[in-house]
Amino acid sequence: MSTSTPPQKTLSRIAANRLQKELSEWQINPPAGFKHRVTDNLQRWIIEVNGAPGTLYSCEQYQLQVDFPENYPMEAPQVIFIQQPPCHPHIYSNGHICLDILYDSWSPAMTVSSICISILSMLSSATQKARPPDNDRYVRNCRNGRSPKETRWWFHDDKV
Amino acid sequence: MEPILLPLNYDFSAFHVLLPLQGKEFSFSIHNVPKGEEFLRNAKLECNEELRSILRGVEHLVQERLNQSVDLHTFVLELKDVLERILRTQSLHSLPKPAFYADLCSNLDAVGWEHLVWLADDLSSLHFRVFDSAGREHILLIDLPPGFPDVQPTASANLPVPVDLRSLHGASLKDIVSQYETAIERYQEFWKVMEDVDSRVWVMEPDHPSRADVFRRIALGGHCSLSILVDPLSPRSVPECRFFGSDAFVSPLRKLLNSGLRKWDQSRLLIANLEAVLELTFPSAQDTDNEDMSADCGICYAYRAQDDPASPNMGAQKGSIPDRVCDNANCARPFHSTCLLEWLRSITTTRQSFDVLFGHCPYCSHPIAVKSTHG
């Protein structure tokens, strides 16, 4: 499983300050179904996801890796599933997620917490466990540890 | 200890000199030392700031001696002699005359020792404490020059209008303190009004208002605020007002302020008057939901803009506070202009016309514009 590391520059003061605040807000009020694994690295968060009860993914556990660019929140964080990604029509087998807010629709109004909620809602609304139809081709193209942020995404389906 | 002369080049025309003197080592260099000639006619002395400040006023003398010296060694010994003499007179100067101590004591007796709260180890400055008629504590800072009492001491105090506190009869500290007490009484009404402001409403700026501050920025709720400038000599009259926040919220308040001034009643305190004219109740810091009132920037989540690591010299001054608010009244998010500018610059949908960037609020997508000269 690739845990592609984007070329990381240290966080700017603005980014570090904002992430500190997001993290303390998370500790007081974490999004339901998520657990932040405590590390001393503010720039890479590892988050455990529990599939919502009553959905295809209930009782399943996955892991998200969130990497923040130095100029966060002007730029979106890179969010991928690590280890075994869930089988979902918008999640590639290399962990990349096809979700517009992670790319073109990112705005500084969003937070790690709101991203997590979007991902959980994306999982919860799935009607079948399947890989995206272009999974093999996409994963082959990403083999050199390419970041999903370099992909030109097509967000053709907003139902799932 | 003998001075040390180190040649700086092969033809022995420049030397570095280490001159030990009174437990210190002075270093300087001499250039253009002629070879095989008598007299250092064209020689030049180069020295550091410390030595230069000691030699200030006698530079021409030193240069003359240098050019008339037979050789380098003679000059260095002469310079040593000059330095010794200067340093001796300087150390005599730095101690005040005996009259200084006698005068200081009798002055403190006159003021009353109970007023003295702090005294510098070298007696160069002191703090007096006085209480005004309302029991407020005030601190007066006085700097004593070494020439005291012949030279007037300087005084500084936290007053809304700077006052030149000078003794009229010689250099009497008692005189300065009583002038200060008179000045304090002049602002009793002002401090009464400001204390009422500080205790009743949410003051966003300054962080810790001092007795000299005539400016307050008061939270109105919904990310809006009102800044007032109070006249310290007429604190109950209408202050200079400026509103910050979304137009939808602030425009009606502006109208009320302009039309409702006849309701202003000088027998009431300032906040009561503002509330009557603006027909609102200011939220207080205690009973306000932090989420609603938090005026942090919606992008960087900070109140004071973080300074950029690329320009560390900005660290001394505090960063700006959010000064741009989304005009959509339902959103009204505050932003630092600098943050908004950086965000609008980083996305491709932003349009620019002259120096103004047009884009959308990151929260509600309402159109928002910011000047690019801000950054």
Side-chain angles (χ1 to χ4, degrees):
Chain A
M1 187 69 250
S2 122
T3 58
S4 62
T5 313
Q8 282 200 351
K9 287 191 185 162
T10 43
L11 295 171
S12 72
R13 271 188 70 166
I14 290 176
N17 180 65
R18 176 166 153 150
L19 278 175
Q20 288 287 2
K21 292 203 174 170
E22 279 198 44
L23 188 56
S24 18
E25 175 59 29
W26 177 297
Q27 278 153 355
I28 300 164
N29 187 16
F34 293 89
K35 196 164 164 268
H36 170 249
R37 197 196 290 160
V38 181
T39 62
D40 56 357
N41 187 355
L42 191 62
Q43 200 163 0
R44 168 173 286 180
W45 293 18
I46 305 291
I47 295 169
E48 284 172 12
V49 191
N50 286 298
T55 69
L56 290 178
Y57 304 91
S58 82
C59 298
E60 291 177 22
Q61 202 179 64
Y62 300 98
Q63 274 186 22
L64 284 171
Q65 173 181 288
V66 187
D67 285 296
F68 298 94
E70 55 154 343
N71 60 341
Y72 182 78
M74 304 306 167
E75 198 185 306
Q78 175 197 289
V79 185
I80 55 173
F81 278 101
I82 52 173
Q83 289 164 7
Q84 193 57 51
C87 191
H88 182 281
H90 290 169
I91 299 168
Y92 292 89
S93 56
N94 63 357
H96 291 192
I97 307 163
C98 177
L99 182 63
D100 60 347
I101 58 161
L102 296 178
Y103 314 104
D104 299 7
S105 304
W106 165 255
S107 122
M110 293 163 196
T111 62
V112 185
S113 191
S114 71
I115 291 174
C116 285
I117 293 168
S118 296
I119 290 175
L120 191 64
S121 116
M122 183 180 91
L123 286 178
S124 302
S125 53
T127 50
Q128 52 157 337
K129 281 187 174 182
R131 288 280 172 225
D134 58 339
N135 184 63
D136 291 350
R137 184 161 47 91
Y138 178 78
V139 172
R140 212 166 34 242
N141 282 337
C142 289
R143 239 180 317 200
N144 299 322
R146 204 173 72 165
S147 162
K149 288 169 78 177
E150 289 162 38
T151 307
R152 298 195 58 176
W153 294 95
W154 260 142
F155 307 105
H156 35 341
D157 174 9
D158 48 352
K159 286 191 291 293
V160 180
Chain B
M1 282 227 291
E2 279 299 294
I4 301 167
L5 274 68
L6 302 161
L8 286 175
N9 51 15
Y10 285 116
D11 54 5
F12 295 95
S13 68
F15 287 85
H16 191 77
V17 184
L18 299 171
L19 177 62
L21 189 66
Q22 297 183 354
K24 270 183 158 178
E25 190 172 63
F26 294 96
S27 79
F28 52 91
S29 52
I30 294 171
H31 297 268
N32 284 343
V33 180
K35 209 176 169 185
E37 264 181 62
E38 287 180 33
F39 303 114
L40 306 170
R41 227 168 251 130
N42 299 316
K44 275 211 156 119
L45 174 70
E46 273 185 18
C47 53
N48 58 12
E49 196 48 52
E50 187 193 6
L51 192 55
R52 190 170 305 155
S53 70
I54 293 173
L55 293 176
R56 192 155 293 144
V58 297
E59 296 99 332
H60 60 287
L61 228 119
V62 172
Q63 184 68 38
E64 207 174 286
R65 293 267 194 111
L66 173 63
N67 296 354
Q68 290 173 356
S69 292
V70 186
D71 59 28
L72 205 53
H73 201 76
T74 325
F75 170 71
V76 172
L77 288 181
E78 268 198 75
L79 184 66
K80 186 179 176 184
D81 193 43
V82 171
L83 280 175
E84 257 172 355
R85 258 184 283 164
I86 295 174
L87 290 176
R88 205 175 315 135
T89 49
Q90 272 188 348
S91 64
L92 276 181
H93 261 293
S94 63
L95 272 184
K97 287 182 290 185
F100 176 93
Y101 303 100
D103 248 275
L104 181 57
C105 278
S106 59
N107 260 301
L108 288 173
D109 284 337
V111 175
W113 286 79
E114 72 276 11
H115 290 296
L116 182 69
V117 286
W118 182 81
L119 185 61
D121 289 342
D122 60 355
L123 309 181
S124 64
S125 58
L126 46 90
H127 295 177
F128 283 127
R129 177 176 59 188
V130 292
F131 292 95
D132 65 19
S133 52
R136 297 182 194 92
E137 184 189 84
H138 297 269
I139 302 289
L140 175 66
L141 290 71
I142 294 181
D143 281 324
L144 295 173
F148 178 83
D150 300 329
V151 185
Q152 278 264 1
T154 50
S156 56
N158 241 345
L159 292 172
V161 180
V163 187
D164 192 18
L165 294 166
R166 279 183 175 281
S167 169
L168 301 172
H169 320 287
S172 155
L173 294 184
K174 169 91 183 152
D175 215 27
I176 296 180
V177 172
S178 54
Q179 279 186 45
Y180 180 54
E181 284 172 326
T182 320
I184 286 174
E185 291 310 315
R186 220 177 294 152
Y187 301 114
Q188 290 303 302
E189 201 53 31
F190 169 70
W191 287 320
K192 187 179 169 193
V193 168
M194 294 320 254
E195 277 168 4
D196 175 66
V197 172
D198 294 336
S199 65
R200 292 191 41 198
V201 302
W202 183 340
V203 174
M204 301 163 74
E205 267 189 307
D207 270 346
H208 300 285
S210 85
R211 294 255 160 75
D213 286 318
V214 297
F215 155 80
R216 295 289 189 278
R217 191 161 134 170
I218 300 168
L220 294 172
H223 303 303
C224 295
S225 60
L226 166 66
S227 88
I228 54 169
L229 270 178
V230 181
D231 177 357
L233 293 173
S234 174
R236 284 175 187 254
S237 52
V238 185
E240 204 180 307
C241 294
R242 250 186 92 192
F243 289 97
F244 290 87
S246 73
D247 274 344
F249 187 88
V250 154
S251 300
L253 291 179
R254 249 184 229 125
K255 277 196 199 118
L256 280 172
L257 182 66
N258 289 333
S259 61
L261 282 182
R262 59 195 159 71
K263 290 191 215 156
W264 199 275
D265 174 0
Q266 299 234 354
S267 66
R268 282 186 301 209
L269 290 177
L270 199 141
I271 289 298
N273 265 322
L274 281 173
E275 288 186 335
V277 170
L278 299 176
E279 296 167 13
L280 52 73
T281 313
F282 290 110
S284 79
Q286 296 86 27
D287 60 33
T288 310
D289 180 12
N290 229 352
E291 181 61 29
D292 167 60
M293 263 321 294
S294 118
D296 290 348
C297 168
I299 294 175
C300 73
Y301 285 14
Y303 183 58
R304 297 274 178 193
Q306 306 279 304
D307 45 22
D308 192 58
S311 54
N313 45 347
M314 259 183 67
Q317 74 205 56
K318 277 184 160 178
S320 61
I321 68 171
D323 50 350
R324 194 75 188 80
V325 175
C326 175
D327 281 335
N328 174 1
N330 294 326
C331 172
R333 284 277 172 177
F335 305 104
H336 294 117
S337 301
T338 44
C339 291
L340 193 59
L341 186 62
E342 203 185 328
W343 164 243
L344 292 180
R345 273 188 182 147
S346 73
I347 51 172
T348 52
T349 52
T350 300
R351 296 283 167 263
Q352 182 163 8
S353 165
F354 297 101
D355 60 347
V356 181
L357 294 183
F358 296 88
H360 298 97
C361 169
Y363 282 81
C364 69
S365 298
H366 191 82
I368 199 165
V370 66
K371 268 196 162 186
S372 69
T373 44
H374 249 289

